[in-house]
Amino acid sequence: MSKLSIQCEVFGADSIALRSLDWERNRFDIEFGLRNGTTYNSFLINGSKTALIDTSHLKFQQIWLNKIKEYVNPKQIHYLIISHTEPDHSGLINDLLELNPEIEIIASKVAIQFLANQIHRPFNSRAVKSGDQIDLGINQTSGIHHQFQFISAPNLHWPDTIFSFDKGTSILYTCDAFGLHYCSNELFDKDAEIIAEDFRYYYDCLMGPNARSVVQALKRIDELAEINTIAVGHGPLLHHNLNRWVNDYREWSKQRNQHENYAAICYISQYGFCDQLSQAIAHGIGKAGAQGQLIDLQATDSQELSNLISEAKAVIAPTWPSEPDIDLQNSIGTLLAALKQKQLIAVYDSYGGNDEPIDSVASQLRSFEQKEAFKPLRVKEEPNGKTYQEFEEAGTDLGQVLNQNKNISMMKSLNNDLDKALGRLSGGLYVVTASQGKTNNLRQSAMVASWVSQASFKPPGLTVAVAKDRAIESLMQIGDRFVINVLREDNYKHLLRHFLKRFPPGADRFSGVNILENVAKGGPVLTDALAFLSCQVKQKLEGPDHWIIYAIVEQGNVADAEARTAVHHRKVGNHY
Ligand SMILES: Cc1cc2nc3c(=O)[nH]c(=O)nc-3n(C[C@H](O)[C@H](O)[C@H](O)COP(=O)(O)O)c2cc1C
């Protein structure tokens, strides 16, 4: 199968989907959990005039332009609706304008400003906001009148996002929102179970940190006539299980909005690696069940910015360009002025090339001697998976602090007798290890575990319960491999002591322990372990605070046939 291809299919009256299929887009390339590739979807809608919604990623340049020409003479494209200006959807605007400089670009006001910097040529444009409409007229063959109504959906997940609703077909075009990174030839969401996990993962990474904005957008969607299909910008189009997906967004965003304490994670879109780095922090915060709020410093209006900053429990800021333009300069001023004494503050490198030094930004932010949310996150070379791992772990540590009171009250809330009875369940003692990537981009982690249990004979399988905020959880997605190190009764205490230490974000958890590399697939084997089991994750069941991970055991070995497994006896069930 070729790595890049384009699928073109009619998916509604007078509506053609052109899906750029990127089968092998790697994990950590953009969002964190990519394992099934992704797609960049664009759409052609023909009334009496023709509109194109979004373009594609630059890497599809030739094949995408050729495909478009098979379906329409570019000179006849009247409108190009740009849902937002992220390069994976807007990468070919210049090429299209080359073919037809008369196209009118329809986008939000912010998107049009961004585009002016992105494409460096004059273009016709019209800024739209919620309630605005454009009329494509009636398609002569179908008789359907295509009329677009727009919805502003800032922060989903870019600040400049708009949704477009075609009243003629009841199709809602949302681009990133409701999307997922999943590449297949299946145009629609026929089998919900196949894509559910990726759908959730994508929400957690990109939409969850903007849960407030999701709720706002859902309210606006609720005002529309009944929706027939959601045509997303990534993955299969949502049609067969539409209610499920919309309700998922509603429910997950409601859960996230229950927290009063949120961390404001500021970023500057289109500057260095700021966008992705801020998402990694936000994802980490979300893993701990706490709330993050991503804020684009360039695109958030000053009143809103001031409110969001002053009400936050923690404020995370990026390094900014040493010579910011006037708008950004104003936003930075607003940010600094809105900081409060009791907030937790932290700063991260944007890696934008001409950043203000991180220590100088940190000291400007801490003008009231506020506490550090985490140590400055420095980036010395182009960010890779290892960098994102460090940022995510810093986010999780902060999330745990934000949720501290809630977690303590949960610990206390268990009924006493029940608690003691639960404590009589026992388990073995294990160290789970996982490792991915190579040398400079090696991502490794480890945790002590006792909630491990065999779960099948054929094939041999087991479950591990992994707390949602564990660092290693990010390396235990479906398809990932890990290793269970079985600890021995007569020699385990030093390993427990070591792995139960509190490790700073990005720390090497194996420094100071003896390990055997390249013995087992998936992670290091501890030299002092009694046995190891090399496993591959097959399924994840979501519990309230843990993921129950079911894995197939692919390989195993015992070092000492005489020794016994260390067992963990507890008195109460509300701790490990
Ligand atoms: C005896 C014992 C058993 C544990 N078992 C589990 C477990 O089964 N699952 C889990 O998620 N955490 C378990 N933990 C907690 C983690 O091992 C520990 O908090 C973790 O190493 C911290 O890693 P983190 O930085 O990723 O949070 C256990 C802790 C102890 C002391």
Side-chain angles (χ1 to χ4, degrees), residues 75-116:
K75 292 247 178 308
Q76 261 139 37
I77 300 177
H78 212 92
Y79 301 114
L80 171 59
I81 299 174
I82 293 296
S83 64
H84 69 301
T85 51
E86 198 176 8
D88 53 347
H89 306 281
S90 65
L92 302 176
I93 297 179
N94 243 334
D95 300 79
L96 212 60
L97 289 178
E98 203 68 53
L99 299 171
N100 177 4
E102 299 305 317
I103 290 183
E104 185 173 6
I105 294 186
I106 311 288
S108 69
K109 188 169 153 210
V110 182
I112 289 172
Q113 283 162 4
F114 283 169
L115 273 183

Side-chain angles (χ1 to χ4, degrees), residues 85-308:
T85 51
E86 198 176 8
D88 53 347
H89 306 281
S90 65
L92 302 176
I93 297 179
N94 243 334
D95 300 79
L96 212 60
L97 289 178
E98 203 68 53
L99 299 171
N100 177 4
E102 299 305 317
I103 290 183
E104 185 173 6
I105 294 186
I106 311 288
S108 69
K109 188 169 153 210
V110 182
I112 289 172
Q113 283 162 4
F114 283 169
L115 273 183
N117 295 328
Q118 213 169 306
I119 59 181
H120 305 293
R121 64 185 293 158
F123 56 91
N124 298 324
S125 67
R126 191 190 310 182
V128 289
K129 55 182 180 337
S130 284
D132 289 351
Q133 306 208 1
I134 57 166
D135 196 344
L136 295 193
I138 296 172
N139 180 294
Q140 287 309 322
T141 320
S142 69
I144 289 177
H145 186 181
H146 296 274
Q147 235 182 338
F148 277 109
Q149 178 180 335
F150 299 100
I151 291 181
S152 304
N155 306 325
L156 297 187
H157 82 104
W158 270 39
D160 54 353
T161 305
I162 51 163
F163 296 166
S164 315
F165 182 64
D166 182 349
K167 292 180 172 179
T169 53
S170 296
I171 295 170
L172 177 67
Y173 298 84
T174 55
C175 205
D176 280 353
F178 299 102
L180 63 149
H181 291 307
Y182 190 89
C183 185
S184 78
N185 283 315
E186 195 59 64
L187 178 64
F188 287 113
D189 59 335
K190 261 194 209 133
D191 188 340
E193 294 318 319
I194 288 184
I195 58 172
E197 212 220 335
D198 288 288
F199 183 79
R200 168 67 192 263
Y201 202 81
Y202 182 98
Y203 172 90
D204 282 348
C205 290
L206 295 183
M207 300 294 145
N210 289 305
R212 288 160 181 244
S213 309
V214 175
V215 172
Q216 292 304 323
L218 286 170
K219 277 190 196 148
R220 293 189 173 137
I221 290 178
D222 288 341
E223 288 161 16
L224 299 173
E226 191 160 345
I227 299 167
N228 170 286
T229 298
I230 296 187
V232 291
H234 295 290
L237 313 190
L238 309 181
H239 175 73
H240 297 281
N241 298 281
L242 203 51
N243 287 343
R244 169 179 176 162
W245 309 124
V246 175
N247 285 338
D248 279 350
Y249 262 46
R250 223 182 278 286
E251 195 47 42
W252 296 334
S253 302
K254 199 171 99 194
Q255 282 167 14
R256 286 187 182 241
N257 279 335
Q258 281 164 355
H259 308 286
E260 282 167 26
N261 292 339
Y262 67 89
I265 310 139
C266 303
Y267 72 101
I268 307 166
S269 51
Q270 301 179 341
Y271 180 64
F273 288 79
C274 213
D275 182 29
Q276 294 170 38
L277 292 167
S278 62
Q279 280 168 29
I281 299 172
H283 182 58
I285 292 175
K287 269 180 63 170
Q291 197 189 333
Q293 173 69 40
L294 282 167
I295 303 170
D296 185 340
L297 287 177
Q298 256 168 337
T300 311
D301 100 3
S302 67
Q303 189 56 46
E304 196 190 345
L305 177 62
S306 179
N307 291 344
L308 284 170

Side-chain angles (χ1 to χ4, degrees), residues 419-430 449-454 565-573 575-576:
D419 216 7
K420 285 182 192 154
L422 198 57
R424 291 299 183 269
L425 289 177
S426 66
L429 276 171
Y430 312 93
S450 58
W451 294 6
V452 177
S453 174
Q454 186 163 348
T565 302
V567 178
H568 183 44
H569 293 285
R570 306 179 297 168
K571 290 237 161 59
V572 281
H575 289 90
Y576 292 110

Side-chain angles (χ1 to χ4, degrees), residues 429 447-451 465-467 470-471 499-500 509 546 568 576:
L429 276 171
M447 72 157 187
V448 170
S450 58
W451 294 6
V466 181
R470 287 280 162 266
F499 286 105
L500 287 172
R509 296 187 180 215
H546 285 67
H568 183 44
Y576 292 110

